[in-house]
Structure formats: C-alpha cells, structure tokens
Amino acid sequence: MDKQARMSHILNFAKNNTINTGLMAGEVAIVGAGCGELELMTIKAANTVSQATALVYDSLVSHDILTLVSAECERHFVGKRCGQPSAKQDDINALLLALALKGKKVVRLKGGDPHIFGRGAEESLYLAQHGVKSHFVAGVTAALGCASSSHIPLTYRGVARSVTLITGTKQSAQHYDKSARQWLALLQAESTLVFYMGKEQAPSISAGLLAAGCAPQLGVAFVTNGGRRNQIIRYTTVAEMPQQAKNIISSGPTLMIIGEVVQVGHELQTLIEDIDNKSQEAGYAKCE
C-alpha cells in the first residue's frame, strides 16, 4: 500500500468513527500541516483539510498534502517564507474573512503548528473581531519533527532538562547582545536552543553567543528539509556555524539545534549508520 493509499485508508477510518472536525460553512479552521510530508500530518488535520471548500496555504506545506483537497476546492497560495517575497499579513487576513463571509468552509493551512511562529492567533483574533469564528488544529512543529527525524533528543537526562524555541529572524545588534546573554543563561541551565528561520542570522547568533561566553565547541546541528525524503543534517559548532550556514545552498527550511544534545544525536546517528552498513555487508556476503 503506497503512502496516498494509506492516508486514504486513515481518512476513511476517521470519517467512519465520527471524528468531529467542527468545520462549518462560514467558519475558518487554522490547521497545522506538520513538519515534512503527508504522513506526519495528524488524522484530524487531514480530515479537516479534506472537507475544505477554500484552502489558503503557505510555502512550507508539502505538495502531497494538497492532494487531500477536492478538485472543486478553491486554492489560494499565500507563499509565506522567511526572507522571501510573500503575501502581506493584512491581505491574508482580509482573504480569510472574505472567503468565510461567502459561506466557504475555509482551511488556513500552515507548516508545522499554527501557534509556533505561525501567526495563527493573529489571524484568529482578526476574524473574531469581524464576527467570524475560527478554531485550531494542532500540527507537529519543526522542532519536534526535525529532532525525531535526525535522532537528536531535545531533552536528555543529565544534559538537557528543557527546550527553548526561538525565532531567528533579523534583530538589531543591540537586541542580539541582550538575547545572546539570555541564550547563554538558558544553555547553562541545561536547556536546548532551537532556532526557527535562523540560517541567515547564523553569523549574528554565533557572534552573540561567543561574546556572551559560550563554549566555541558547543554542538550545533542544521536540519534542512526536516521530516522529508531530501532531509540533510549538518553538524558543526557554535564557532563554525557561520561558515556551515553559508555552505547550505538548499532553499528548503532549515532549523538550528544548539546544545549538548547535538553530540548525543550525532553519536546515535553514527551507530545506526554502522548497524545499517553491517547489515548491508552481511546481505552481500549471503549473495556470494
């Protein structure tokens, strides 16, 4: 059974077991598409998307997820991606409102989770202020999806007792100095730092951490296209992360994980690859 057939089976199961999506004409569901491909989407999210008569979606939504909507569904691409031209938030708000007032079953589909750097609450507040009801459907946010697919534990006994999610979008130099001191305090308190949309700001983040007293050799992982078949993981250190970021030529989303857990994940990844190699060699030996 291929991936699309499996998802069709899951959707049929969901509908037959009366999972209530709450998607009504004239209302808006703000849905997290998850991190990566179709199978990382929740059943409730997939079921909600399949009922949409108008879909408003972002760049980070995988193409195969779009196959869930019917041929009759209106599709509105609003292409939000950090550092790239995209629809203005005010225009997106107005579009959602207009579609709801037309009596459409509107789904606002966002990569990851709508409440983690997704502006989902901003859109919901705008709609409510104009008399339109909305609700949220959770998604697997990038920090969780990338950590699992890269074998990096965000918490680990004796190493990391908490996780801090940070937006890496551009800040002033003064703001970086202040933020870096806070980041270092979190690292010293055994917290893993996860930067969303931080690749372009890696030199400033690195400089800020080093100036605040961070160990230059502290582990960093760049996870590009996390949760997808073309995922790439690059391991480096706080001192070397600006150069590593410069070497990333993919236009796909890149997440940065900083902390002692990176070394744990790297070790685990190496051991798993070694097991795979030995299994492959054993297979070749049997064929000879």
Side-chain angles (χ1 to χ4, degrees):
M1 185 183 294
D2 62 23
K3 181 165 60 177
Q4 194 63 42
R6 288 198 300 273
M7 182 53 71
S8 177
H9 175 75
I10 290 170
L11 283 176
N12 287 333
F13 171 84
K15 290 171 182 176
N16 291 336
N17 285 273
T18 63
I19 291 179
N20 180 19
T21 64
L23 186 57
M24 305 289 290
E27 294 184 356
V28 179
I30 303 175
V31 179
C35 170
E37 298 180 345
L38 182 60
E39 290 179 320
L40 283 176
M41 198 175 193
T42 68
I43 294 174
K44 184 171 183 178
N47 198 9
T48 302
V49 170
S50 71
Q51 297 180 48
T53 59
L55 181 74
V56 180
Y57 65 100
D58 288 345
S59 298
L60 297 180
V61 175
S62 295
H63 177 74
D64 52 358
I65 292 175
L66 300 180
T67 62
L68 295 173
V69 300
S70 68
E72 295 76 26
C73 177
E74 289 184 24
R75 301 187 187 192
H76 300 269
F77 174 65
V78 292
K80 294 188 73 64
R81 175 75 69 82
C82 177
Q84 297 185 15
S86 61
K88 294 180 180 179
Q89 189 61 53
D90 288 346
D91 294 336
I92 296 172
N93 292 346
L95 174 61
L96 293 172
L97 179 61
L99 291 170
L101 293 178
K102 287 180 181 178
K104 300 289 185 180
K105 294 182 178 181
V106 185
V107 168
R108 173 68 171 108
L109 189 60
K110 297 171 173 287
D113 182 271
H115 281 316
I116 306 295
F117 308 123
R119 294 188 174 181
E122 293 181 34
E123 294 170 355
S124 185
L125 279 170
Y126 177 87
L127 292 168
Q129 289 163 355
H130 290 79
V132 171
K133 184 179 177 181
S134 63
H135 69 272
F136 297 94
V137 179
V140 177
T141 188
L144 303 183
C146 290
S148 294
S149 61
S150 62
H151 299 100
I152 299 173
L154 295 179
T155 61
Y156 192 81
R157 186 164 53 121
V159 173
R161 63 178 67 205
S162 65
V163 183
T164 303
L165 309 183
I166 305 167
T167 176
T169 51
K170 191 173 182 179
Q171 305 176 51
S172 66
Q174 183 179 3
H175 197 168
Y176 265 115
D177 290 342
K178 180 181 178 182
S179 296
R181 290 193 294 272
Q182 295 171 343
W183 300 335
L184 181 62
L186 288 165
L187 288 168
Q188 292 171 336
E190 299 183 354
S191 183
T192 301
L193 304 185
V194 181
F195 285 87
Y196 288 62
M197 304 166 286
K199 181 181 68 174
E200 287 74 16
Q201 302 306 317
S204 297
I205 294 169
S206 172
L209 283 170
L210 292 173
C214 180
Q217 296 307 309
L218 184 66
V220 177
F222 288 91
V223 185
T224 302
N225 295 318
R228 295 172 171 83
R229 282 166 288 186
N230 60 341
Q231 173 179 285
I232 301 172
I233 309 167
R234 297 171 175 85
Y235 298 99
T236 186
T237 64
V238 170
E240 299 296 328
M241 60 189 281
Q243 184 58 48
Q244 187 64 261
K246 190 182 297 184
N247 293 337
I248 299 173
I249 58 175
S250 172
S251 61
T254 297
L255 193 84
M256 292 163 43
I257 303 174
I258 302 178
E260 299 290 349
V261 294
V262 172
Q263 180 57 40
V264 177
H266 195 182
E267 179 183 358
L268 178 57
Q269 178 72 27
T270 301
L271 290 170
I272 289 173
E273 289 176 356
D274 186 51
I275 293 169
D276 288 341
N277 290 335
K278 288 179 179 177
S279 297
Q280 191 174 44
E281 289 170 3
Y284 289 149
K286 288 181 180 179
C287 293
E288 292 178 353

